[in-house]
Amino acid sequence: MVDGPMNLSAATRTNLLALQSTSDKIATTQGRLSTGLKVSSALDNAISYFQARALNDRASDLMNLKDNIDQGVSSVETAINGLDSIGKLVAQMKGLAMAAKSNSNKEDRSRAAAQFNDLRQQLDNLANDSSYKGANLIKGSPANLKVSFSEDGSSTLTVSGISSDSSGLSMVAATTNWVADADIDKAINDLDSALSTLRSSAATMGSNAAVLSLRLDFTTNMINSLEGGAAKLVNADLNDESANLLTLQTRQQLGTIGLSIAQQSEQSILRLF
């Protein structure tokens, strides 16, 4: 009977170590294939892991800003739509005034004046209803909209509200039932001035909307760049990993065969005794 521990031969030990190493690599490769990551923790690669984390954190911050910018675009677009509708209503009021001027019948002029005042009230309603999420940029006492473009708030755009109701447009109610041509002429002059103001306001709002849309696209592309950069640091190449797994599995099979041969050789030697 042999006393003491049994020692493995050099050939067997070499094959066992090679098999263990191959099994570990297979497990690592399978993990990369299942998660899609070559760096899933700081233990894998601390530098790449924390660089990718910083990039993803900034992308997350910009995502919040992107949502706010997108909401800002909607707020300004709502104001533009309101200004467009108000402009159409003012044009309708001007046509009504011009028709009244060409009609000398006092009753017709009186009805036209009453209709004018009704449309003026509808104009005020339009201005008051042109709000988005509680912010109204064109009502009588308009709000201002401030949109941040950077995480630290150093880059912003403030969209100033423009009073676009009848008072803000200096449009007074029809007086004396439009009996006198002078009253109608004054109303027409006020309407022409209102149309000019509305066009200028719409141009200003349109310029702000264009800036917001530009920054929205820029922020979206910036987020994609940050996330893409992070992916390059930690994502695995699945095609490469699949090919690597196939190679390792082949190596494992060869290692098993090598171990079997080494053990058979040892057994042949033992049979000599």
Side-chain angles (χ1 to χ4, degrees):
M1 183 175 179
V2 179
D3 295 328
M6 295 292 294
N7 294 323
L8 298 174
S9 66
T12 299
R13 181 177 286 106
T14 299
N15 279 281
L16 284 173
L17 291 175
L19 277 173
Q20 183 178 0
S21 175
T22 301
S23 296
D24 292 341
K25 291 177 180 178
I26 289 176
T28 299
T29 302
Q30 288 175 332
R32 291 175 178 177
L33 286 170
S34 63
T35 62
L37 300 173
K38 65 181 179 182
V39 179
S40 57
S41 70
L43 296 177
D44 297 325
N45 187 323
I47 295 176
S48 295
Y49 177 79
F50 286 111
Q51 285 180 342
R53 182 174 177 180
L55 292 173
N56 283 324
D57 286 345
R58 190 182 177 205
S60 178
D61 293 338
L62 288 177
M63 184 66 73
N64 293 329
L65 288 175
K66 174 180 173 291
D67 292 339
N68 290 333
I69 296 171
D70 206 357
Q71 293 300 306
V73 172
S74 296
S75 294
V76 176
E77 286 179 344
T78 299
I80 293 173
N81 291 334
L83 290 171
D84 182 60
S85 297
I86 290 172
K88 292 177 181 178
L89 197 55
V90 171
Q92 182 180 347
M93 294 168 72
K94 181 180 177 180
L96 181 65
M98 294 181 70
K101 185 179 178 181
S102 64
N103 187 345
S104 60
N105 185 284
K106 291 183 179 181
E107 292 182 358
D108 290 342
R109 285 193 173 191
S110 178
R111 283 193 292 269
Q115 188 176 356
F116 179 91
N117 290 334
D118 288 341
L119 291 176
R120 181 175 175 272
Q121 180 60 50
Q122 290 302 317
L123 186 151
D124 289 338
N125 293 340
L126 261 175
N128 290 329
D129 292 339
S130 298
S131 61
Y132 181 82
K133 294 182 67 174
N136 191 320
L137 301 176
I138 62 172
K139 66 178 182 178
S141 298
N144 296 325
L145 177 67
K146 183 177 181 180
V147 182
S148 294
F149 299 138
S150 58
E151 302 95 314
D152 59 1
S154 61
S155 178
T156 62
L157 173 67
T158 298
V159 180
S160 299
I162 305 172
S163 179
S164 301
D165 62 352
S166 60
S167 177
L169 295 172
S170 300
M171 292 170 49
V172 298
T175 57
T176 65
N177 292 327
W178 277 355
V179 173
D181 286 349
D183 293 331
I184 300 177
D185 288 336
K186 184 180 184 307
I188 292 174
N189 288 334
D190 290 343
L191 292 168
D192 286 336
S193 178
L195 284 172
S196 178
T197 300
L198 286 168
R199 289 168 186 149
S200 177
S201 299
T204 300
M205 287 293 178
S207 178
N208 288 324
V211 172
L212 289 171
S213 295
L214 182 66
R215 290 305 301 242
L216 180 62
D217 291 341
F218 172 80
T219 303
T220 300
N221 292 332
M222 191 66 182
I223 291 171
N224 291 336
S225 296
L226 291 168
E227 291 178 341
K232 291 176 183 178
L233 290 169
V234 299
N235 283 6
D237 184 333
L238 298 184
N239 291 328
D240 188 40
E241 295 298 336
S242 296
N244 190 37
L245 179 61
L246 182 61
T247 300
L248 289 170
Q249 288 174 337
T250 301
R251 184 184 299 174
Q252 186 181 50
Q253 291 172 356
L254 293 174
T256 302
I257 294 172
L259 179 61
S260 177
I261 293 173
Q263 290 177 336
Q264 288 177 3
S265 298
E266 291 176 6
Q267 291 174 359
S268 297
I269 294 172
L270 288 174
R271 281 197 293 268
L272 297 174
F273 297 94

